[in-house]
Amino acid sequence: MNKTTVARSLILYFSSEIFLSFGIGLATYAQPLFFKSAGLSDQTIGLLFSINSLAAGVFALLFGSVADRIGASRVFKLSTLLMAVSYLMMGITHSLGWWAWAIALQGLAAAMLMSTENVVLSSLTKGREKAAVLSKFVALYTFIIGSGVVASGYFSTAYGYQETIRLGGWIALVAPGIRVFVRAPDAKSEKLFRLPSGRIWGMSVYAILFGLGTNLLNPFATLILHGHLGLSNGATAWVSSASTFTMALGSFMVSAVLRRLRQERTLLVSFASAVGVTAAMAWMQSAPWFSGLYLTRTVVTSLPGSIVDALFLNLSKESEYAQMFGVRVFGNSLGNAAGSYGGGVLLNHQEMVGLLLLSALTFAAAYAYLRLLLKRNTGKTDLCPEEQQATGTHS
């Protein structure tokens, strides 16, 4: 591909991300509050989120190798369309059964998207340091999602939660119309279905632990603030949106932090902070303290993602990138599903302290396993010299 085509495709890619992420922000904030307003219990809401995560996990496992065979860019475009359709389905239906189908489709679309979006971006930005590119992309879309969440707080107050989800779906539907014109090179594998290697399965175990630690709390943060700690709908929306902005901040900081601390110390600091902050939330259950610690948690837990993804890319062949991300999403989704269901059960039984302490312990286990995994596959726990050099010089 020539430079003009690559530049045009990157512009289209990032332009479409504005519509997709803003629509996701609108729908994501309103979704749990819509379920609650419909009379569903915390446990049932947790079950719905676990259906979403399980669907994402199963389809990520299936579509990873398929995407490597038929082309990641094609799956990337289809998944964008299905994401918008899932929100529209939820926005026009009125029963638990339909919501379960819609949230399962949402999980399928998310699995396909997460398995391929970084592959497409990586193919359009070859020659650049992976962790820096991926972290800045995460910073961009989380910032836009945050803007959507802010708008969602006001729109849902004025017009209702289901109407907000429907609006998010219509806005997200613009994105696949733009992405049709994205042209990206696909490194295709020879087989349609193939078993992941032991190394790739090992990566999924880390993803399970990290997903579990994250989703024990994250899907319920707005419910805790609004329903358990008495924060108003508008203030809850601001905290929820601020969490995406702080996540964007953490992702944007990755390159600078790596230059100062290097990879091993960055991972240590981020996981140690995640453990400490999450444990502190167990005893700081006033709305201001809980909000502040929750926002701090989103910063420190956003640091490892791009670094670990870059490490996993460096350990994989280009023709297995989508499968690697698919299995990683599979593991993350299993952890998310277990966290969503377990968090819902614990919260339903007023076990908020136990929920938070379990999340903190799981983050500690994830870091310990990650170090073991890197040592097993590379013989060391730090980046290779070439990667460190690239990280240190990338602007």
Side-chain angles (χ1 to χ4, degrees):
M1 292 180 66
N2 59 50
K3 291 183 178 180
T4 302
T5 303
V6 170
R8 179 173 178 271
S9 291
L10 281 172
I11 290 171
L12 291 171
Y13 187 118
F14 287 111
S15 298
S16 67
E17 192 62 41
I18 293 172
F19 293 97
L20 178 63
S21 294
F22 193 80
I24 288 173
L26 280 170
T28 298
Y29 172 76
Q31 202 165 255
L33 297 173
F34 166 58
F35 293 150
K36 195 69 175 179
S37 69
L40 302 185
S41 68
D42 290 337
Q43 185 167 337
T44 303
I45 294 171
L47 180 61
L48 283 173
F49 281 120
S50 69
I51 289 172
N52 174 278
S53 297
L54 284 172
V58 170
F59 284 103
L61 187 62
L62 294 175
F63 276 100
S65 61
V66 172
D68 280 326
R69 181 68 183 94
I70 67 177
S73 63
R74 293 179 180 179
V75 177
F76 161 76
K77 294 169 186 176
L78 176 61
S79 63
T80 305
L81 173 62
L82 293 180
M83 181 66 74
V85 170
S86 71
Y87 289 131
L88 288 173
M89 183 186 296
M90 187 170 294
I92 62 175
T93 56
H94 303 280
S95 69
L96 179 60
W98 277 109
W99 299 336
W101 279 109
I103 208 165
L105 179 61
Q106 184 183 324
L108 183 157
M112 294 167 64
L113 187 62
M114 290 186 290
S115 298
T116 54
E117 62 181 353
N118 284 341
V119 179
V120 174
L121 182 59
S122 181
S123 71
L124 292 172
T125 55
K126 288 183 178 178
R128 304 182 187 182
E129 197 278 309
K130 292 184 181 67
V133 170
L134 297 180
S135 64
K136 288 178 181 177
F137 175 62
V138 172
L140 169 69
Y141 74 67
T142 50
F143 181 84
I144 298 169
I145 288 173
S147 301
V149 170
V150 172
S152 182
Y154 290 104
F155 193 88
S156 62
T157 300
Y159 299 102
Y161 297 120
Q162 190 168 30
E163 290 76 7
T164 303
I165 295 172
R166 187 161 58 244
L167 176 63
W170 284 117
I171 292 175
L173 194 60
V174 176
I178 298 173
R179 288 187 173 178
V180 167
F181 301 101
V182 172
R183 299 289 180 266
D186 289 319
K188 297 181 180 180
S189 64
E190 296 181 358
K191 295 181 179 180
L192 183 61
F193 292 103
R194 64 188 191 281
L195 292 175
S197 65
R199 169 178 42 77
I200 291 179
W201 280 121
M203 296 172 184
S204 73
V205 176
Y206 162 78
I208 290 172
L209 292 170
F210 192 83
L212 175 61
T214 302
N215 256 42
L216 278 166
L217 172 64
N218 283 8
F220 308 102
T222 54
L223 293 178
I224 291 172
L225 288 168
H226 186 55
H228 292 259
L229 300 181
L231 211 59
S232 69
N233 187 44
T236 302
W238 273 107
V239 174
S240 182
S241 63
S243 72
T244 61
F245 293 136
T246 51
M247 188 184 301
L249 175 64
S251 298
F252 188 77
M253 289 167 51
V254 168
S255 294
V257 175
L258 280 175
R259 283 195 292 267
R260 181 175 295 273
L261 298 180
R262 309 293 279 269
Q263 181 258 345
E264 187 175 6
R265 289 181 181 175
T266 300
L267 289 174
L268 174 60
V269 169
S270 61
F271 275 100
S273 300
V275 171
V277 169
T278 305
M281 293 172 73
W283 287 278
M284 301 291 188
Q285 291 188 16
S286 66
W289 272 107
F290 192 92
S291 299
L293 290 169
Y294 174 63
L295 295 179
T296 303
R297 173 182 142 121
T298 62
V299 173
V300 297
T301 55
S302 66
L303 289 173
S306 301
I307 300 171
V308 175
D309 280 351
L311 283 168
F312 289 174
L313 283 171
N314 289 333
L315 292 171
S316 305
K317 292 184 291 187
E318 197 169 350
S319 60
E320 64 178 12
Y321 277 0
Q323 184 182 55
M324 183 274 292
F325 275 116
V327 174
R328 193 266 284 163
V329 171
F330 168 73
N332 194 253
S333 298
L334 284 183
N336 285 346
S340 295
Y341 184 73
V345 171
L346 290 169
L347 198 59
N348 204 53
H349 288 83
Q350 305 298 317
E351 291 289 345
M352 197 184 305
V353 171
L355 181 155
L356 292 163
L357 291 180
L358 181 58
S359 177
L361 288 172
T362 307
F363 281 136
Y367 174 71
Y369 179 80
L370 178 62
R371 290 202 57 168
L372 178 64
L373 180 66
L374 293 177
K375 188 172 184 179
R376 180 185 302 165
N377 284 280
T378 67
K380 51 193 173 184
T381 58
D382 208 354
L383 289 171
C384 63
E386 297 80 21
E387 184 81 352
Q388 288 177 342
Q389 184 178 4
T391 301
T393 57
H394 188 80
S395 59

